[in-house]
């Protein structure tokens, strides 16, 4: 991990320098050559984020510092990969030394030291970055999941914590469906936790942005990172995107959900998922508020729709204060996404009638 070549150093941007500077201010153990050892110990966690005492005992830093440290490790691994990709486009620096310095004795310069380092093995660094991303997410959102290393098969586990310049036998081909299922569950939890951290209780744009700022600077774009991880972990990227859209609507930030829909490929499946969320909103408005007007409207609804609404569970909603006009837009979006021959199309049409009736002022 200490072998960062000169091309890596030349490619460091402001964010990368900030990350490395943060490492310097962590406990000494975090900044020395034991980075891989610390990651290895972190990977042996039980199925939840370790508490402060456990972090201090096994890794030598607090849980807060551990979270920052993992973010720094991820920045460093990504910088190494970027440097490796661009190494053929950059010329090695020429080391000119003035005659007056030739007789001076001292330690080797950092540039000379960097030039002596071997090039990394890109696939192995990328493999480590996957584990680092998993550990970082677990710590950032205090996730309760399976052990992080259980997301990888035996071949993947054996490749961890080796010299990053060495060539290791890495996982290839189709992954066991059981591993893919566990990985998918993990990524969906990350997306849910990220949306909740950003939008739960956020009443305006400022508080939303504040929620995604950590003590060490601006947070990762976790939904984007989750989609990228899905690509490398053989999980359907569209499943992660659809879940992200659903979580945005679930938290009542419909304008962001509508924007995120553009990234989804299977919009028909998404529409079915959003239809359920719409039903939950209406069930809360009609069944759980117990207003006289709501009961009268419920009695006028088609029996099929009424039965369907009663089967909905509004307790799954993270935000029940969404204006009915906003829900009306959501139903229209569902109708737009569903083909007319779809089995739920007629149900969506009934829903638009219901939300329009709710939005009418009572006489």
């Amino acid at each position: 991990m200490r072998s960062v070549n000169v091309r890596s150093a030349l490619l460091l941007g402001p964010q990368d320098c900030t990350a490395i500077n943060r490492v310097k201010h962590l406990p000494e153990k975090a900044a020395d050559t034991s980075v891989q050892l610390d990651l290895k110990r972190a990977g042996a966690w039980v199925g939840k984020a370790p508490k402060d005492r456990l972090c201090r005992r096994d890794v030598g830093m607090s849980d807060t510092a551990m979270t920052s440290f993992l973010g720094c490790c991820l920045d460093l691994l990504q910088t190494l990969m970027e440097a490796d990709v661009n190494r053929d486009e950059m010329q090695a620096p020429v080391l000119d030394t003035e005659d007056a310095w030739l007789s001076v004795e001292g330690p080797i310069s950092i540039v000379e030291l960097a030039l002596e380092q071997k090039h990394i093995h890109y696939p192995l660094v990328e493999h480590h970055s996957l584990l680092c991303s998993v550990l970082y997410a677990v710590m950032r959102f205090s996730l309760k999941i399976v052990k992080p290393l259980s997301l990888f098969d035996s071949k993947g586990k054996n490749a961890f914590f080796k010299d990053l310049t060495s060539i290791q036998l890495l996982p290839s081909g189709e992954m066991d469906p059981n591993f893919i299922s566990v990985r998918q569950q993990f990524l969906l939890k990350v997306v849910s936790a990220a949306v909740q951290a950003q939008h739960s209780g956020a009443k305006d744009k400022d508080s939303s942005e504040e929620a995604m700022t950590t003590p060490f600077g601006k947070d990762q774009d976790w939904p984007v990172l989750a989609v990228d991880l899905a690509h490398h972990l053989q999980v359907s990227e569209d499943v992660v995107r659809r879940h992200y859209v659903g979580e945005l609507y679930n938290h009542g930030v419909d304008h962001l959900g509508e924007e995120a829909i553009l990234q989804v490929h299977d919009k028909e499946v998404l529409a079915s998922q959003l239809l359920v969320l719409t039903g939950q909103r209406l069930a809360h408005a009609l069944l759980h508020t117990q207003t006289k007007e709501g009961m009268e409207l419920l009695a006028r609804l088609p029996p099929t729709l009424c039965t369907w609404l009663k089967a909905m569970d509004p307790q799954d909603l993270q935000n029940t204060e969404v204006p009915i006009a906003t829900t009306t837009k959501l139903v229209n979006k569902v109708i737009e996404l569903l083909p007319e021959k779809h089995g739920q199309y007629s149900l969506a049409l009934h829903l638009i009638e219901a939300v329009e009736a709710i939005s009418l002022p009572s006489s």
Side-chain angles (χ1 to χ4, degrees):
M1 288 292 290
R2 185 170 46 181
S3 303
V4 183
N5 60 35
V6 70
R7 295 178 177 86
S8 302
L10 292 174
L11 285 171
L12 288 176
Q15 292 181 339
D16 302 312
C17 292
T18 302
I20 292 175
N21 187 54
R22 292 202 302 257
V23 173
K24 294 178 182 178
H25 290 86
L26 292 175
E28 183 178 353
K29 183 167 184 171
D32 64 15
T33 57
S34 62
V35 170
Q36 289 205 31
L37 177 60
D38 288 342
L39 285 178
K40 187 173 184 179
R41 287 171 174 170
W45 292 333
V46 293
K48 60 182 179 181
K51 296 186 180 298
D52 184 73
R53 183 176 60 83
L54 186 60
C55 286
R56 291 181 185 276
R57 187 194 71 186
D58 289 355
V59 189
M61 64 183 81
S62 68
D63 55 351
T64 303
M66 186 67 189
T67 304
S68 177
F69 171 65
L70 288 168
C72 295
C73 287
L74 183 58
D75 289 343
L76 179 57
L77 291 170
Q78 290 174 342
T79 299
L80 287 171
M81 290 188 288
E82 292 171 8
D84 188 68
V85 169
N86 294 287
R87 68 185 183 188
D88 294 332
E89 301 174 5
M90 301 185 67
Q91 295 182 348
V94 178
L95 302 180
D96 290 328
T97 305
E98 296 182 13
D99 294 340
W101 291 100
L102 293 177
S103 60
V104 176
E105 296 183 0
I108 187 172
S109 71
I110 189 172
V111 177
E112 292 176 292
L113 184 64
L115 288 172
E116 292 177 359
Q117 306 307 308
K118 297 179 181 178
H119 291 300
I120 62 165
H121 183 50
Y122 186 97
L124 184 59
V125 177
E126 185 177 56
H127 187 57
H128 279 80
S129 74
L130 295 179
L131 176 61
C132 190
S133 298
V134 169
L135 298 176
Y136 188 21
V138 172
M139 289 299 297
R140 171 64 180 83
F141 300 112
S142 299
L143 296 180
K144 295 181 179 180
I145 59 159
V146 295
K147 292 182 180 180
L149 286 177
S150 69
L151 299 177
F152 302 91
D153 60 11
S154 57
K155 190 183 296 184
K157 293 176 185 176
N158 291 334
F160 284 130
F161 318 120
K162 302 294 194 300
D163 188 324
L164 296 181
T165 65
S166 64
I167 297 177
Q168 302 294 326
L169 189 61
L170 295 170
S172 60
E174 292 295 324
M175 181 63 66
D176 187 313
N178 292 326
F179 280 104
I180 294 178
S181 177
V182 173
R183 290 171 171 183
Q184 178 174 300
Q185 291 176 26
F186 168 74
L187 292 177
L188 298 188
K189 281 190 174 185
V190 171
V191 171
S192 296
V195 174
Q196 182 175 14
Q198 185 174 14
H199 299 291
S200 180
K203 300 300 182 182
D204 52 40
K205 183 178 179 181
D206 292 336
S207 59
S208 176
E209 290 180 349
E210 182 181 353
M212 291 303 285
T213 302
T214 67
F216 300 98
K218 194 169 181 62
D219 205 356
Q220 287 272 351
D221 190 337
W222 287 101
V224 171
L225 181 58
V227 171
D228 183 62
L229 288 175
H231 172 73
H232 291 93
L233 295 175
Q234 298 188 22
V235 174
S236 170
E237 297 165 61
D238 211 44
V239 169
V240 178
R241 292 191 184 101
R242 291 199 303 268
H243 184 73
Y244 177 50
V245 172
E247 285 296 299
L248 289 173
Y249 277 105
N250 194 19
H251 283 79
V253 281
D254 291 30
H255 62 291
L256 295 180
E258 192 166 349
E259 292 177 6
I261 287 177
L262 301 175
Q263 304 298 322
V264 174
H265 297 302
D266 194 338
K267 293 182 171 59
E268 185 175 328
V269 173
L270 175 63
S272 295
Q273 295 173 339
L274 295 179
L275 191 65
V276 173
L277 190 141
T278 306
Q280 291 171 336
R281 287 184 181 181
L282 288 182
H284 179 270
L286 294 175
L287 302 173
H288 290 259
T289 55
Q290 296 292 320
T291 63
K292 178 182 177 181
E293 294 81 3
M295 292 299 101
E296 291 176 352
L297 176 59
L298 193 63
R300 297 197 302 269
L301 294 178
T304 303
L305 178 58
C306 189
T307 302
W308 184 76
L309 287 175
K310 289 179 179 178
M312 295 292 103
D313 185 6
Q315 292 184 354
D316 294 335
L317 291 174
Q318 297 296 322
N319 187 345
T320 58
E321 305 300 324
V322 180
I324 192 64
T326 303
T327 300
T328 302
K329 290 182 62 177
L330 174 57
V331 180
N332 284 318
K333 174 60 68 174
V334 170
I335 293 174
E336 176 188 327
L337 298 177
L338 279 178
E340 292 187 12
K341 295 182 180 180
H342 193 278
Q344 294 177 309
Y345 189 79
S346 60
L347 179 62
L349 292 177
H350 287 313
L351 279 176
I352 195 64
E353 295 175 5
V355 295
E356 288 177 350
I358 295 174
S359 61
L360 290 175
S362 57
S363 55

